[in-house]
Amino acid sequence: MTTETPIPPAPADELTLPVVGMTCASCVNRIERFLNRADGVAEASVNLATERATVRFDPSVIDRTGIVATIEAAGYEVGREAAAEASAAEVESAADLERRAEAGTLLRHALASLAIGAVMMTVMFWPGGAPWPMADINRWFLVPATIVQFVFGRRFLVAALKGARHGDANMNTLVAMGTMAAYGYSVFVALLPDVVMRAGLGMETYFDSAAVIIGLILFGRWLEARAKGRAAGAVKALMRLQPATARVLREGGEREVPIDQVAVGDLVRVRPGDRVPVDGVLIDGASAIDESMVTGESLPVEKTVGDQVIGATMNASGSFVMRAERVGRDTTLSQIVTLVEQAQGSKAPIQRLADRVTGWFVPAVIVIATLTFIGWMLLGPEPRLPLALTGAIAVLIIACPCAMGLATPTAIMVGTGKGAENGILIRDGAALEHAQRVTAVVLDKTGTITRGQPAVTLVQPVAGVAEEELLRVVAAAERGSEHPLAEAIVRHADGLNIDTPDATAFEAVAGHGVRATVDGSRVLVGTEAHLEAAGIDVSSLSLLASEIAARGASPVLVARDGVLIGLIGLSDTVKPESAEAVKRLRQAGVQVWMITGDRRATAQKIGAEVGIGPDRILADVLPAEKAAKVAELQASGMVVAMVGDGINDAPALAQADLGIAIGTGADVALEASDITLVGDDLRAVPTAVRLSRSTMRVIRQNLGWAFGYNVLLIPVAAGLLWPVAGILLSPALAAGAMALSSVSVVTNSLRLRAFKA
């Protein structure tokens, strides 16, 4: 028996391209179908709201040129792309200018079409009858109607012809067929009135209806474009954070230069009230920086020499000089914008239903319109031809695949944008959808519930020694050590402004402690064993040290000149917001678990402090075992979200139904997670769950409206109400309903902008 060597998967690159000419979900389906059939394409996803195609492909089989050719073969064009070196701000700015220009054209053409249509209707429905012979009126209407049809409505005709050449039908096909039927019949009446009269038909034309239909649909697209622009407001808000210039220190002094001219290694001065221009490290001065718009942290963060600073954050107080380390596309802000745009361009699983329906929607509408025409001609009252035309045109115009195509992506666009505003970076639409199904959240202890670094929690001097004196001695001895416990003690003493002398004869004893000379006295700091080995009696504090150790903390004993002078207790402290985060999750109906490698006694103490019961604490769990514990919870029927630091907890994050990584402002792209919290505030976890639930509720409302609209109004347009009420829907009213349908879906999605963390 031979064993075959598994073939490794082909390498895949990813490319995102702007697509021009999409108008509805049918366009999306067609482009995706062409791309996914192309050799070398692993996966293609097209988003109607963002008008972009994201393609994963094997570069050894197909390249960018081949992908562009495939999109063009589907009947669409690839828009202009930004230069490779352009920052996220420049890319977004260029795209915004293009959107504004297109919106301006839509509005001008819409208003002109509606004005012409209104004039025609005024003449047609003049009180007491038309003021001139109908034959003359029809000839006069021919020129302006032709301008509307072939100039202002040209986009529909061109797109419909492109689709027809490729055997495809979309919303443009419906609009083109409806308006051309109205226009063509009207031209026949206007140019051959004698033939019309002999046939027993009326002299009424549909020039006004065709003009109003085109005007209303264009106006609807303008409203839709405006609403989609507002839906992308989070990205624009982030982009506005970046300053246009920076004060760079170069030869000849301080110079103000455009932000795109700042290079890695440049020294940049930031004054009070300025925004930090790029990412870097503070090398001179100190300040408090407001990082709320990037990390979600509400309070200014104190920064001193050596601290990292994030571009686009606000310098609240002091002046400082920083060294630029990340510029352009590499800055934290650009990474965040990229992640948000990727999420906004992704699809949620719930969209599959709309995709399946829209695959046959337009052909079905054409069939229904044809049957409507035939039915009216065979069974309808006189005048049959005008009534048949009215019904068929109304069916073609009122059908709205746009609403189905926009129902999900617009809500995802707004939802992921709101997440970014609150320091919650959502990888894609699937992650946003999964978050609302979570029934259990597993929180890693260290660095998630707790701060992840030791802090002094107890200072216990022996009788006759002052607390400040104990800290003064131990901080002086520990200042030369790099051990985390030593750094915590020094940090605590510095925070109390205790003046520590310089130590000499410093010696670190690995795993035990340090020796040093302070003010001429020999000082020992460390474990009980370290002091006992030097012959020092520690019995007076031995019981206290044991109690501290039993609680999971670290006791550090201190001796001076052979005599015990005190004990310092250190432990990892709970973040002040952790208890509130647990409370909010429980209020949302989510079980909260804690997982840790600590002993159960220590874990239960932390759990009690934040409100997690002992029955939901997973203690003594090695890092390699965390994924297995998550799998056990999943096997019991829970939908599990794992919250960790994104590095040590990577296997558990990957195993969970939803991985949530606690990130930092300078590291926002944690590959193991579905959601990254830019700051370290655990309250963002219940916020993410609430945001997901709100977004999915809006998506369901949108899909319900989109499907319900088409199911109810297409039969009405076909003449369902005629037998019972004598009502036949006007094509102009059908156009208005169709335009408002798309706008209503986008507007409903915009309600998410009111979401509060």
Side-chain angles (χ1 to χ4, degrees):
M1 180 176 177
T2 60
T3 303
E4 294 184 1
T5 303
I7 301 174
D13 286 356
E14 187 169 288
L15 180 66
T16 299
L17 297 170
V19 180
V20 177
M22 292 191 298
T23 56
C24 66
S26 297
C27 305
V28 170
N29 287 336
R30 179 174 178 79
I31 298 170
E32 286 184 348
R33 191 166 65 249
F34 270 64
L35 286 171
N36 284 317
R37 288 175 180 172
D39 291 339
V41 172
E43 182 182 7
S45 176
V46 181
N47 189 291
L48 179 60
T50 60
E51 299 176 342
R52 292 179 181 175
T54 301
V55 186
R56 289 181 60 249
F57 63 98
D58 181 354
S60 65
V61 178
I62 191 171
D63 58 8
R64 181 191 177 282
T65 302
I67 293 171
V68 170
T70 302
I71 294 174
E72 291 174 345
Y76 300 86
E77 298 177 4
V78 173
R80 188 174 57 194
E81 297 175 75
E85 67 275 7
S87 67
E90 292 168 330
V91 172
E92 180 61 26
S93 178
D96 191 47
L97 287 174
E98 288 185 9
R99 284 194 294 265
R100 287 173 181 270
E102 172 63 11
T105 301
L106 283 171
L107 182 59
R108 288 192 299 273
H109 288 183
L111 294 178
S113 300
L114 289 172
I116 292 172
V119 171
M120 290 179 178
M121 283 188 170
T122 301
V123 174
M124 293 285 289
F125 298 100
W126 193 270
W132 301 282
M134 285 302 302
D136 293 339
I137 291 174
N138 291 337
R139 286 194 295 272
W140 296 339
F141 283 175
L142 185 57
V143 173
T146 301
I147 292 173
V148 172
Q149 187 70 34
F150 294 101
V151 177
F152 304 146
R154 181 177 182 273
R155 65 180 65 229
F156 305 118
L157 302 176
V158 170
L161 287 173
K162 282 184 177 179
R165 282 202 302 268
H166 296 92
D168 185 45
N170 52 44
M171 181 188 161
N172 293 300
T173 307
L174 300 180
V175 176
M177 288 179 66
T179 58
M180 282 303 295
Y183 173 81
Y185 176 77
S186 301
V187 169
F188 173 73
V189 173
L191 297 181
L192 300 170
D194 294 339
V195 176
V196 172
M197 294 297 291
R198 284 197 300 271
L201 301 174
M203 294 298 294
E204 294 81 4
T205 61
Y206 293 94
F207 284 135
D208 54 338
S209 294
V212 171
I213 288 169
I214 289 173
L216 286 173
I217 294 174
L218 290 174
F219 189 69
R221 288 197 180 177
W222 174 73
L223 290 174
E224 183 184 309
R226 283 193 66 196
K228 286 197 292 187
R230 291 173 61 200
V235 172
K236 294 179 183 177
L238 287 170
M239 298 303 13
R240 285 195 293 268
L241 294 178
Q242 187 173 52
T245 60
R247 295 185 178 91
V248 178
L249 304 181
R250 292 178 178 166
E251 293 182 9
E254 183 178 310
R255 295 166 51 194
E256 188 165 350
V257 302
I259 193 70
D260 57 1
Q261 293 183 16
V262 179
V264 173
D266 276 346
L267 300 183
V268 181
R269 186 182 303 281
V270 183
R271 296 175 181 173
D274 287 351
R275 287 200 179 273
V276 179
V278 294
D279 294 3
V281 62
L282 195 149
I283 63 171
D284 182 41
S287 184
I289 296 182
D290 179 0
E291 299 180 340
S292 58
M293 281 299 293
V294 178
T295 67
E297 173 61 51
S298 58
L299 298 176
V301 180
E302 297 292 334
K303 300 286 185 178
T304 59
V305 173
D307 288 339
Q308 295 286 329
V309 289
I310 307 170
T313 54
M314 178 67 77
N315 182 24
S317 55
S319 176
F320 62 87
V321 176
M322 60 173 287
R323 182 174 60 249
E325 293 189 337
R326 287 178 295 275
V327 301
R329 285 181 176 268
D330 297 327
T331 64
T332 297
L333 180 64
S334 285
Q335 290 182 48
I336 290 176
V337 170
T338 299
L339 288 174
V340 172
E341 288 181 334
Q342 287 174 351
Q344 291 181 339
S346 65
K347 286 190 178 183
I350 196 173
Q351 192 171 342
R352 292 171 187 158
L353 174 62
D355 289 345
R356 284 197 297 269
V357 171
T358 52
W360 53 261
F361 181 83
V362 173
V365 169
I366 294 173
V367 170
I368 293 172
T370 303
L371 293 176
T372 298
F373 183 85
I374 295 171
W376 277 98
M377 290 298 294
L378 294 178
L379 306 174
E382 293 295 343
R384 292 182 179 181
L385 181 57
L387 289 175
L389 277 173
T390 298
I393 292 169
V395 169
L396 291 170
I397 296 302
I398 204 167
C400 188
C402 283
M404 289 185 285
L406 292 169
T408 300
T410 51
I412 289 176
M413 182 184 292
V414 181
T416 53
K418 289 302 295 185
E421 289 179 11
N422 291 281
I424 303 168
L425 301 183
I426 301 167
R427 182 181 295 275
D428 52 30
L432 187 64
E433 181 174 341
H434 292 329
Q436 56 102 25
R437 298 190 297 108
V438 167
T439 59
V441 171
V442 179
L443 304 174
D444 179 50
K445 181 184 80 70
T446 304
T448 302
I449 294 176
T450 66
R451 297 184 185 279
Q453 60 181 14
V456 173
T457 55
L458 174 68
V459 179
Q460 182 61 59
V462 299
V465 178
E467 184 175 310
E468 183 176 338
E469 175 63 14
L470 174 61
L471 284 171
R472 177 178 176 275
V473 170
V474 69
E478 293 278 34
R479 195 170 290 278
S481 173
E482 295 180 354
H483 194 280
L485 296 181
E487 292 177 353
I489 292 171
V490 172
R491 188 167 57 247
H492 183 74
D494 289 344
L496 296 173
N497 295 318
I498 295 175
D499 186 22
T500 56
D502 293 332
T504 58
F506 173 84
E507 179 186 357
V509 181
H512 293 283
V514 300
R515 303 186 186 98
T517 300
V518 179
D519 291 337
S521 297
R522 192 63 176 162
V523 176
L524 269 70
V525 182
T527 63
E528 279 189 74
H530 181 49
L531 270 65
E532 287 176 341
I536 297 169
D537 180 12
V538 298
S539 58
S540 61
L541 292 176
S542 181
L543 180 60
L544 178 60
S546 298
E547 291 175 353
I548 292 172
R551 294 198 298 266
S554 301
V556 175
L557 287 86
V558 187
R560 181 172 57 188
D561 291 333
V563 178
L564 184 69
I565 63 171
L567 176 149
I568 307 290
L570 300 101
S571 64
D572 187 5
T573 57
V574 172
K575 296 176 184 176
E577 62 273 7
S578 293
E580 185 179 353
V582 172
K583 178 182 177 181
R584 291 183 185 178
L585 283 168
R586 293 173 62 183
Q587 288 174 341
V590 178
Q591 292 186 18
V592 184
W593 295 68
M594 182 176 75
I595 191 166
T596 178
D598 286 349
R599 291 175 294 181
R600 177 159 292 277
T602 302
Q604 288 183 346
K605 177 180 178 295
I606 297 296
E609 194 171 339
V610 298
I612 301 176
D615 58 327
R616 290 183 180 164
I617 291 176
L618 306 173
D620 297 308
V621 180
L622 297 175
E625 299 171 345
K626 289 183 178 180
K629 292 294 183 182
V630 170
E632 288 177 12
L633 294 178
Q634 291 171 315
S636 69
M638 298 180 189
V639 179
V640 180
M642 172 70 193
V643 186
D645 63 13
I647 301 172
N648 296 330
D649 300 315
L653 288 167
Q655 172 65 41
D657 299 285
L658 186 75
I660 303 178
I662 300 290
T664 65
D667 183 14
V668 299
L670 300 179
E671 292 300 325
S673 63
D674 300 302
I675 295 176
T676 298
L677 309 182
V678 181
D680 62 355
D681 190 336
L682 203 57
R683 289 174 297 185
V685 176
T687 298
V689 173
R690 283 182 49 240
L691 177 62
S692 170
R693 291 177 178 178
S694 297
T695 304
M696 294 308 300
R697 184 164 55 249
V698 167
I699 288 175
R700 293 188 188 98
Q701 291 169 353
N702 287 349
L703 288 173
W705 164 255
F707 284 116
Y709 163 88
N710 285 290
V711 168
L712 291 175
L713 291 189
I714 289 178
V716 171
L720 181 66
L721 299 180
W722 179 268
V724 295
I727 297 174
L728 186 61
L729 191 65
S730 162
L733 289 177
M738 189 273 283
L740 289 176
S741 176
S742 297
V743 174
S744 66
V745 165
V746 181
T747 303
N748 189 47
S749 298
L750 287 173
R751 294 192 303 112
L752 287 168
R753 296 182 69 184
F755 177 86
K756 301 294 183 184

